[in-house]
Amino acid sequence: AQKVTQVQTEISVVEKEDVTLDCVYETRDTTYYLFWYKQPPSGELVFLIRRNSFDEQNEISGRYSWNFQKSTSSFNFTITASQVVDSAVYFCALSEWNSGAGSYQLTFGKGTKLSVIP
Amino acid sequence: DTGVSQDPRHKITKRGQNVTFRCDPISEHNRLYWYRQTLGQGPEFLTYFQNEAQLEKSRLLSDRFSAERPKGSFSTLEIQRTEQGDSAMYLCASSKDGGYYEQYFGPGTRLTVT
């Protein structure tokens, strides 16, 4: 089973529409961390947000917002009034304790490719 | 402060050749990670360093792969006797101590094995 499942493989929206990217994760840990990264066509992964498992407050940053729900193991990402520059692949990632390695390990989902059409 | 840098950005090599990639992390970051990313997939963890110590290696890292971080600053990833299956984007990332900190990624080295 995938530890991080990004529900949509590809999404296309028209500029100014709102769009939500869904992420479902699986872990047995009580302490873990969730991340979203953006990978534009240039290829460099850009950090967007980190959330720890004890903080279920939703967060808003400009046109971006994140909804974290432990009850459904989801960490969804919404872009409001999308713009062409939002076109990219977005990755959700889970950091959990790897007892074998004695450290936290980051596992990425397969990504959601978002295309914003002008 | 500059971000994570990687060199070269692109590498084309023939099967069986050895290649080496370099990563320069953000200067105050003690942790350095290597990932591999193939088309349509998220980055997959290969190995990481805490300062100069290599603390974990993925099963993806075969014996043909070796990584070093000799002085706890830059790191190199070497692939010996390259195979076509090694073709991928190799990403380097760095972070502060503690796996809960966000990792900052470099632009990657795209390897093509012909």
Side-chain angles (χ1 to χ4, degrees):
Chain A
Q2 292 283 328
K3 282 187 174 288
V4 180
T5 301
Q6 293 189 242
V7 177
Q8 304 94 349
T9 304
E10 291 192 44
I11 301 177
S12 289
V13 297
V14 177
E15 200 171 21
K16 298 185 183 177
E17 287 184 344
D18 299 348
V19 59
T20 295
L21 283 57
D22 298 318
C23 173
V24 177
Y25 62 91
E26 180 182 330
T27 181
R28 294 179 179 176
D29 292 355
T30 54
T31 302
Y32 54 88
Y33 302 86
L34 295 163
F35 301 81
W36 276 95
Y37 283 85
K38 174 182 181 180
Q39 190 173 40
S42 60
E44 190 161 338
L45 279 153
V46 177
F47 165 73
L48 296 177
I49 190 171
R50 177 188 68 197
R51 247 320 169 240
N52 74 54
S53 52
F54 298 107
D55 182 2
E56 285 194 73
Q57 275 195 327
N58 292 333
E59 181 154 340
I60 298 174
S61 176
R63 296 183 298 104
Y64 294 172
S65 62
W66 291 269
N67 181 273
F68 175 29
Q69 292 195 338
K70 286 180 74 170
S71 60
T72 56
S73 297
S74 64
F75 186 41
N76 298 334
F77 174 30
T78 297
I79 302 174
T80 302
S82 59
Q83 300 177 0
V84 173
V85 294
D86 296 327
S87 296
V89 180
Y90 291 86
F91 290 98
C92 178
L94 166 69
S95 181
E96 57 181 343
W97 184 255
N98 181 332
S99 56
S103 67
Y104 279 89
Q105 183 164 322
L106 190 63
T107 303
F108 285 82
K110 294 187 175 183
T112 296
K113 182 178 181 181
L114 173 64
S115 299
V116 181
I117 304 164
Chain B
D1 182 30
T2 58
V4 178
S5 62
Q6 292 187 246
D7 185 68
R9 296 290 306 274
H10 302 273
K11 179 70 177 179
I12 300 173
T13 191
K14 292 185 178 179
R15 188 177 55 181
Q17 297 293 305
N18 299 343
V19 294
T20 300
F21 310 142
R22 176 178 170 127
C23 170
D24 288 86
I26 293 172
S27 57
E28 63 265 29
H29 286 177
N30 292 336
R31 292 198 172 200
L32 186 148
Y33 307 80
W34 285 98
Y35 291 84
R36 181 170 68 188
Q37 185 179 21
T38 54
L39 198 62
Q41 301 293 317
E44 295 175 293
F45 171 79
L46 292 177
T47 188
Y48 96 93
F49 293 83
Q50 171 96 13
N51 299 313
E52 65 274 10
Q54 187 174 17
L55 296 185
E56 188 189 353
K57 293 193 289 186
S58 162
R59 283 174 290 181
L60 290 175
L61 213 65
S62 77
D63 292 343
R64 297 184 297 105
F65 288 68
S66 63
E68 294 182 342
R69 194 182 182 197
K71 296 183 180 179
S73 55
F74 73 91
S75 174
T76 58
L77 177 68
E78 181 182 15
I79 308 175
Q80 296 183 326
R81 304 181 304 281
T82 53
E83 301 173 356
Q84 287 188 322
D86 297 331
S87 295
M89 176 77 85
Y90 289 85
L91 297 167
C92 176
S94 69
S95 75
K96 297 179 182 178
D97 277 342
Y100 39 81
Y101 284 106
E102 59 272 18
Q103 297 176 23
Y104 291 89
F105 284 79
T109 294
R110 182 167 294 285
L111 173 66
T112 302
V113 182
T114 61

